[in-house]
Amino acid sequence: MFLYLLSYISCFVLGISKQRYNKVISFTLLVFLAVFLCFGYFCGSDWRNYELWYYRVDLERLFYNYFAEPGYYIYMLVFRFFDIDFWHFTIFTKLWCFVSFYSMLYYYLKERVWLGLMYFVPWYGFFLFIDCPFRNLIAVAIFLIAIHFFIQRKVILSLLLILIASTFHVSTIIFLPCIFFVGKKVPTKIWVLLYILFNIFLGSRELLTNVLSSLFGNLPYVSAKIQGYLLDESEAAAGGSLFSLGMLIQLVFFILLIWKRQVIERHKNGIFIFNFAMIYQLFYRIALTIELFSRFQLFTSVFFCIALIMLLQAFKPSSQKLYLVYLLCIASVGTTKLFADNRYIPYTSYIPYMFQTEQPSYEYRSQYNYMHSPYNK
């Protein structure tokens, strides 16, 4: 538990300290975050399936009855061809994904990147890198690279990368048309109207399910994915709540973003960042109804964090301190997932096992958190 708290609180401390300009200290913290987030071993959940997939991958499944999106399948095959261990493959992949996330945050926030990480790590980093929905993580990382090229007006390359990302996780494809309007200024009243409509009409799980079926019913692969997620969600009965702590937090942020949008938009590519932050807000509302849509939030989460830190300039120096404390408190709310089940605690790292000739068995690793976590549910 200590490492989880240290990861984002240390970002907060460095972010408000003059030591954020110290390259040695900054690099040390960056390495710590990368090692902590990318070297998890027994913790998390999805790795159990991904490890089995990795060792049974074969060329025949590439063209018939494959069990994952084809891009991820081909990506695995490259590493399997060189007989690379699953955990070396996983850690390498997490590391370059981590660089993708960090690079986008640093590009816009510079020395304030630590404040962005302070919010990103507990809300999204723990889930993406430690629980690790692996294909989703890779897709989001590629999407961020695509956006970087898009803002440099390399449109063809950007579109190609988004298409590649969709071969790792099909949810990426929804952002293909989005990137053509996120650079355009959308009137405030349109965003407010959309926010109200989403809250009123998309609070019904049944209605949203029917809409999805109408839109994607003719696309067998996509339709099967959606139905699979819907059937797997055990929190269906609780979905769609209009009033919750999370919804209240997001409502406050929505009001702040709308009220002070000019502060964000005067930055380089500020309109772009503001629009993605608004898209995040809309997906958050839908995700309360159907958790599947929380995966869509991940694609815009970095821009949402950037927008929140850019809002600092909307406050006077004395008020900035209060705003940062508020962000730290809200970031801490993101750690409640740690206590929801056994995925995160205890945390184990691959590093102590890295040079051992004999690794713990799959069964031992798979059962470890079930046996030792105080939060088994």
Side-chain angles (χ1 to χ4, degrees), residues 24-73:
V24 174
I25 294 176
S26 295
F27 181 74
T28 301
L29 180 53
L30 185 63
V31 170
F32 163 71
L33 287 176
V35 170
F36 170 63
L37 292 174
C38 300
F39 282 71
Y41 198 19
F42 305 163
C43 45
S45 59
D46 283 11
W47 67 264
R48 294 170 176 84
N49 287 328
Y50 282 111
E51 184 170 348
L52 295 176
W53 289 359
Y54 187 76
Y55 286 116
R56 77 181 191 215
V57 68
D58 60 71
L59 279 171
E60 291 181 4
R61 287 180 179 268
L62 180 60
F63 303 105
Y64 176 73
N65 196 32
Y66 50 79
F67 40 79
E69 283 89 343
Y72 178 70
Y73 207 93

Side-chain angles (χ1 to χ4, degrees), residues 79-271:
F79 289 84
R80 289 289 288 132
F81 178 80
F82 293 102
D83 198 29
I84 294 173
D85 177 81
F86 169 75
W87 285 100
H88 296 168
F89 157 73
T90 301
I91 291 167
F92 170 79
T93 303
K94 285 185 179 181
L95 284 170
W96 73 254
C97 289
F98 177 81
V99 171
S100 176
F101 283 85
Y102 175 80
S103 297
M104 184 62 76
L105 285 165
Y106 184 80
Y107 183 78
Y108 287 105
L109 297 178
K110 297 298 186 276
E111 284 74 20
R112 285 181 171 171
V113 66
W114 302 111
L115 298 176
L117 285 166
M118 176 267 295
Y119 193 88
F120 175 83
V121 167
W123 274 98
Y124 318 107
F126 293 161
F127 173 67
L128 279 168
F129 289 91
I130 294 177
D131 188 26
C132 196
F134 205 39
R135 298 181 345 270
N136 213 159
L137 171 67
I138 297 170
V140 176
I142 296 173
F143 174 75
L144 292 177
I145 297 170
I147 294 302
H148 179 72
F149 285 117
F150 187 80
I151 60 181
Q152 293 181 339
R153 302 184 184 278
K154 298 179 181 179
V155 178
I156 301 300
L157 180 57
S158 176
L159 295 178
L160 179 62
L161 285 170
I162 291 176
L163 288 173
I164 291 173
S166 70
T167 69
F168 284 82
H169 204 280
V170 70
S171 58
T172 319
I173 203 70
I174 197 172
F175 291 97
L176 196 58
C178 285
I179 63 171
F180 289 103
F181 82 83
V182 289
K184 302 181 185 298
K185 188 163 184 174
V186 179
T188 297
K189 60 184 179 183
I190 297 297
W191 284 121
V192 173
L193 179 62
L194 285 172
Y195 190 77
I196 293 171
L197 291 176
F198 270 56
N199 276 280
I200 293 175
F201 294 108
L202 297 184
S204 167
R205 181 182 173 86
E206 182 179 357
L207 174 61
L208 191 50
T209 302
N210 290 336
V211 170
L212 290 174
S213 298
S214 299
L215 290 174
F216 301 107
N218 295 324
L219 300 173
Y221 181 77
V222 179
S223 178
K225 282 284 184 182
I226 292 171
Q227 292 301 321
Y229 277 119
L230 295 179
L231 290 173
D232 286 344
E233 286 182 12
S234 60
E235 48 283 292
S241 174
L242 187 59
F243 299 104
S244 65
L245 176 59
M247 194 61 209
L248 180 60
I249 290 170
Q250 295 305 319
L251 177 60
V252 172
F253 283 143
F254 178 80
I255 293 170
L256 276 174
L257 288 166
I258 287 292
W259 181 30
K260 297 295 184 181
R261 66 178 292 179
Q262 71 278 2
V263 174
I264 298 169
E265 290 179 345
R266 68 179 177 227
H267 285 82
K268 182 180 181 181
N269 302 310
I271 293 175

